[in-house]
Amino acid sequence: MQGFYSAKQSKDKPAFSVIKGSFAVVSATALNVRSGPSTKNPVLKVILKDTHILPLSSPKHEWLKIRIPKGIKGWVAKKHVKIYMPKPLSVFKVKPASMPFTSLLEASISRYMEEMYIQKRLKPVDKLFIVVEDLTTESYVVSIRPRQSVKSASTIKVPILHAFMIQRFRGNIKEPSKYERQIEEMIRFSSNPSTNTIIKLLGGPKKIQDLLNETKIYKE
């Protein structure tokens, strides 16, 4: 029976074409997350009722592959979960205590990454590191590997633009229109040479950091 199940499952289309954008919530009092689609497989973790999880496989079978926090993946009996389509993020005023993701936005990002892996558009070594903070409440909306240190990429160019605008409004940049082309190339086309020109104009990385620190918006 187990062999028949595995053979049949392998013919299914990728999970995202079946339950794209959906989530699931545990309906049982407690539910075992197993290493494979069978009660013979060892239990990886026990999750409680009303815990929200991310489905990774087709709901057509008795077992559902899922993802829970900290990157743990496993299998649960489908009869003990309820699959649902979430409402827009703005509808949720308070995050349920049982929700394992920081927000539905974070869950959606995780689902998108899983889809990229399935489509082989990303390699297993490609990892996402992202933190999104609501500056009005100082709470995290997305927190995926928040403690991992990585080199800043093109996103750093937005704060550089912010520093440029600070100096412009203070009148510290003479003839700012001379740098419109570099600003446009830096933001629209991620031009590194143009970015270096603006960094040099502003006095270097330390000066830019000092300007940004004054705003009290940016945090490590």
Side-chain angles (χ1 to χ4, degrees), residues 146-194:
R147 298 298 179 185
Q148 181 70 38
S149 298
V150 294
K151 293 182 178 180
S152 57
S154 294
T155 52
I156 196 64
K157 292 168 184 174
V158 175
I160 292 173
L161 172 62
H162 189 182
F164 176 87
M165 297 305 294
I166 291 173
Q167 290 293 68
R168 177 180 177 180
F169 283 115
R170 289 178 178 176
N172 295 332
I173 296 180
K174 297 180 180 180
E175 300 182 70
S177 59
K178 289 175 54 178
Y179 302 97
E180 288 182 357
R181 181 177 62 82
Q182 284 86 356
I183 291 294
E184 181 178 10
E185 290 178 348
M186 178 178 74
I187 298 301
R188 292 189 61 191
F189 308 110
S190 194
S191 168
N192 291 327
S194 294

Side-chain angles (χ1 to χ4, degrees), residues 8 34 69 83 90-91 101 111 125 127 188 199 201 215:
K8 184 177 180 180
R34 298 182 179 274
I83 295 175
S90 59
V91 173
F101 300 98
R111 168 169 291 286
V125 295
K127 303 295 182 182
R188 292 189 61 191
I199 291 175
L201 171 69
T215 67

Side-chain angles (χ1 to χ4, degrees), residues 12 30 55-56 68 74 80 103 108 116 177 186-188 194 204 216:
D12 285 346
L56 300 178
I68 56 179
H80 296 308
S103 66
S108 298
M116 293 299 100
S177 59
M186 178 178 74
I187 298 301
R188 292 189 61 191
S194 294
K216 298 182 179 180

Side-chain angles (χ1 to χ4, degrees), residues 87-94:
K87 296 179 181 179
L89 181 61
S90 59
V91 173
F92 291 84
K93 303 299 182 182
V94 179

Side-chain angles (χ1 to χ4, degrees), residues 19-76:
I19 52 173
K20 185 177 180 65
S22 66
F23 300 88
V25 61
V26 177
S27 56
T29 302
L31 182 60
N32 291 326
V33 179
R34 298 182 179 274
S35 61
S38 168
T39 54
K40 296 180 180 180
N41 292 105
V43 175
L44 301 176
K45 189 176 180 64
V46 177
I47 52 179
L48 303 179
K49 184 177 182 179
D50 295 329
T51 297
H52 294 253
I53 55 181
L54 195 65
L56 300 178
S57 67
S58 168
K60 295 180 180 180
H61 303 288
E62 296 179 1
W63 290 86
L64 184 69
K65 188 176 183 180
I66 65 163
R67 177 184 180 274
I68 56 179
K70 298 182 180 179
I72 298 176
K73 297 178 183 178
W75 296 80
V76 297

